[in-house]
Amino acid sequence: MPEITSPTAANTSLDAEISAALGKRSIVLVGMMGAGKSTIGRRLSARLRLPFLDADVEIEAAAGMSVPDIFETHGESHFRDGEARVIARLLDSGPAVLATGGGAFMREETRSRIGSKAVSIWLKADADIIMKRVKRRADRPLLQTADPAATVGRLIEEREPVYQHADLTIWSRDVPHEKIVDECIVALHALLCNKRTAT
């Protein structure tokens, strides 16, 4: 009689192989606001037994003020400089799952650092999904405009060609969060572990 492997055992095996293959590298989630980076990141970190870090939360802690307040008081350029420093520090602190702000990956220095110290996953979401998720929130400085939908459209157009440089792309859509996490796990395993098996 063939041995039946429970899904849980199979998942645990995949998770452990990914963690081992990562070594000291982190997993960095990139993409638009509302793509689910924090939500998926928390679940992914639990699956892989890694710490979860949210770059915006860390920036707020370092600055002693909220992201909207930093934008309002010091401007976007000041915020981006601080964001780059915080992400560099977090990437140096060992393996974790890191959710970044929507604009972080646009900075070449940050992108290069992520490329050398992490595996990046672009959570790709279309404009309708993003608007549905962010329209009830007042903490998005870039959406404090007369036409938030047009702003989202413009940001997607500007950012997607850069997000495409991420190591992996996973579609973020209205399905159970665990389904997206499972897709991340399968893609990470294929990227990190199948290469090793082949050599």
Side-chain angles (χ1 to χ4, degrees), residues 117-134:
K117 299 200 168 189
V119 176
S120 51
I121 301 176
W122 172 23
L123 288 182
K124 182 175 182 176
D126 65 30
D128 290 344
I129 291 280
I130 290 167
M131 284 309 297
K132 187 170 146 189
R133 291 175 181 171
V134 302

Side-chain angles (χ1 to χ4, degrees), residues 84-123:
R85 286 193 300 274
V86 166
I87 289 173
R89 172 173 56 79
L90 296 176
L91 288 173
D92 283 341
S93 66
V97 175
L98 171 61
T100 60
F105 203 62
M106 301 301 290
R107 194 176 187 126
E108 190 175 349
E109 165 200 356
T110 298
R111 211 163 49 245
S112 168
R113 191 169 273 120
I114 289 170
S116 64
K117 299 200 168 189
V119 176
S120 51
I121 301 176
W122 172 23
L123 288 182

Side-chain angles (χ1 to χ4, degrees), residues 10 13 18 24 34 67 86 92 105 107 126 128 151 182 195:
S13 170
I18 291 165
K24 294 181 177 178
V67 169
V86 166
D92 283 341
F105 203 62
R107 194 176 187 126
D126 65 30
D128 290 344
T151 303
D182 286 341
K195 279 185 191 168

Side-chain angles (χ1 to χ4, degrees), residues 90-195:
L90 296 176
L91 288 173
D92 283 341
S93 66
V97 175
L98 171 61
T100 60
F105 203 62
M106 301 301 290
R107 194 176 187 126
E108 190 175 349
E109 165 200 356
T110 298
R111 211 163 49 245
S112 168
R113 191 169 273 120
I114 289 170
S116 64
K117 299 200 168 189
V119 176
S120 51
I121 301 176
W122 172 23
L123 288 182
K124 182 175 182 176
D126 65 30
D128 290 344
I129 291 280
I130 290 167
M131 284 309 297
K132 187 170 146 189
R133 291 175 181 171
V134 302
K135 68 183 176 188
R136 294 182 296 275
R137 309 238 336 231
D139 62 345
R140 307 287 187 178
L142 295 180
L143 292 188
Q144 305 309 309
T145 62
D147 189 350
T151 303
V152 164
R154 177 180 56 77
L155 288 171
I156 287 174
E157 201 173 305
E158 284 173 9
R159 291 176 175 180
E160 287 204 341
V162 179
Y163 291 155
Q164 286 172 11
H165 293 288
D167 297 309
L168 298 167
T169 301
I170 301 291
W171 271 97
S172 178
R173 58 217 188 273
D174 277 342
V175 296
H177 293 135
E178 287 309 318
K179 181 168 176 53
I180 307 288
V181 173
D182 286 341
E183 290 172 8
C184 290
I185 292 287
V186 168
L188 283 164
H189 191 268
L191 178 73
L192 295 169
C193 304
N194 290 356
K195 279 185 191 168

